[in-house]
Every structure is written in C-alpha cells, then in structure tokens.
Amino acid sequence: MSKKMAASVYQPALHILLKPINNAQGEQITSVSLRMINASEHRKVVEDHTDDSDLLYRQLIKVGSGLTDDELKQIIMPDYNTLLDLVEEHYGQNSRYWFSKAGVEIADSVEELTLLHPLSALKVIKLTFPTLAVIDVMNSYDTTEQDMFIKMSCTGLGVKELDALSVSDSKMLDAKVTDFLSQTASFFSKKMTEKN
C-alpha cells in the first residue's frame, strides 16, 4: 500500500491560458487554478442553475477559480473548453477516482470512508447501517431533505460537517449510502469476509 497521505493526493488543477486575460486593475492573468469546492458550494450552484447548463458550468468555473464575470468573458474558447473539462473531472468524480489517479490504495471497507480532504481531525468517516425505522423516518421527509437525513443517520455527522465535505468525498459517501440502502446482507457479508 502506498504511504502517501490522503491530504497530499489531490492537487488543484492549473491551466496555463493560451491567451492571457486582464483583471479589473489591468494586471495580466496567465493561468487559472481550479480548487476542489465543498458539497454546500456545489449544491447551491446546481440549485441556482438547474435550467441552464451553460450558466451552471460558468458558475462552477467562477466558484472554483475565483474568476469574476468580466475575467471569464475574456477567455477564448479553447481555454474555456479546457476549463469545462476540468470542471467535469473535479466536480463529477468521487474521491476513489482521485486516490486511484494518484496511485494511492485505500481500504475498500464497507463501514468506513477515507476522506480525500480531511475535515480538521476527521480523516475517516465511520458508517453505520440504517434500520428500517430510520428508513421510515427518512421517507416521511420531503425528497430534497431525505438525502441529508440518511447521510446524517449513517455517519453521525451534522449538516455543517456534511456540507463541508469536498464534492468528491460527498459523492463517495453517496455511493456508500446507496449500497447500504440497496444491497442484501450477503453483499456486505462477502465484503467483510474479503476485508478480514
């Protein structure tokens, strides 16, 4: 197993612009760096731009890079297309993708999620299986609130902590919770046996 630490696995993307742009002070910008945004930032952008994918991607670029509207509008299409690709990769992939890309092995644990972006001292999220009673409570919530409720139930984390997860860690948590809700006991028994 690789000895790299999870915190060093992900590196923000850096794109060197084919054609530099200028900021409001007239200074030249020659590159754009795209950082990993958190689950709350991502959800807000998606909710605010559900009807227009072009505006959605532009806003994701702005949030991830810190570019202003005026700066973004100066970008030529080849540079913009590269930024679109980076947005797709950064905010469309779960944390397993980034660990794999960096050649870092992580345990394929049923009940643990190794965070790509640790939250201060929290590096691993321990998951617990929801009971049928928990699912009944979840189903009583509005559809938009069910996702947050079940993630809180399975992790013991609060809304603020779940919102602070990176998009990639949040997507990986979604996948784990989906397994909890859709797989049979034999699936998990096999996973636990393979782990031991």
Side-chain angles (χ1 to χ4, degrees):
M1 183 178 286
S2 173
K3 296 191 186 262
K4 284 184 186 177
M5 297 301 291
S8 67
V9 170
Y10 168 82
Q11 296 296 324
L14 179 66
H15 172 58
I16 307 300
L17 295 171
L18 284 175
K19 183 181 179 188
I21 59 177
N22 295 312
N23 64 18
Q25 292 74 42
E27 300 163 332
Q28 199 172 71
I29 298 172
T30 58
S31 64
V32 175
S33 180
L34 196 68
R35 68 176 174 88
M36 181 60 71
I37 63 177
N38 66 36
S40 177
E41 291 172 307
H42 186 262
R43 185 172 57 251
K44 182 174 184 341
V45 172
V46 171
E47 287 172 355
D48 289 348
H49 300 88
T50 53
D51 298 329
D52 192 328
S53 60
D54 289 335
L55 285 179
L56 169 66
Y57 279 96
R58 285 187 187 203
Q59 189 62 29
L60 285 172
I61 290 170
K62 287 193 298 184
V63 171
S65 68
L67 290 174
T68 66
D69 248 344
D70 289 339
E71 291 164 352
L72 187 60
K73 286 177 181 177
Q74 296 175 51
I75 289 180
I76 62 173
M77 283 310 295
D79 285 323
Y80 181 68
N81 288 334
T82 296
L83 291 174
L84 288 178
D85 288 344
L86 292 175
V87 163
E88 285 277 1
E89 180 183 40
H90 274 60
Y91 311 139
Q93 300 291 341
N94 64 36
S95 55
R96 182 174 301 285
Y97 167 85
W98 295 104
F99 282 116
S100 177
K101 185 174 180 177
V104 176
E105 295 178 31
I106 55 171
D108 189 19
S109 172
V110 175
E111 66 279 346
E112 285 186 0
L113 172 62
T114 301
L115 294 177
L116 180 67
H117 300 273
L119 299 178
S120 60
L122 185 64
K123 294 177 174 54
V124 175
I125 295 177
K126 304 276 187 184
L127 296 129
T128 57
F129 297 103
T131 63
L132 191 55
V134 169
I135 300 303
D136 287 344
V137 173
M138 178 191 79
N139 288 333
S140 72
Y141 281 95
D142 182 88
T143 307
T144 57
E145 298 172 326
Q146 288 181 3
D147 178 62
M148 188 63 77
F149 172 80
I150 196 63
K151 286 197 276 194
M152 289 169 61
S153 300
C154 291
T155 63
L157 298 177
V159 173
K160 286 185 180 178
E161 293 165 305
L162 290 170
D163 278 347
L165 290 175
S166 68
V167 176
S168 55
D169 285 324
S170 184
K171 285 182 179 291
M172 195 66 229
L173 180 58
D174 286 342
K176 291 259 185 189
V177 170
T178 298
D179 276 347
F180 283 175
L181 299 178
S182 63
Q183 299 292 346
T184 62
S186 60
F187 170 84
F188 291 106
S189 297
K190 182 179 176 191
K191 285 273 191 187
M192 290 173 178
T193 303
E194 288 170 356
K195 189 183 75 168
N196 294 330

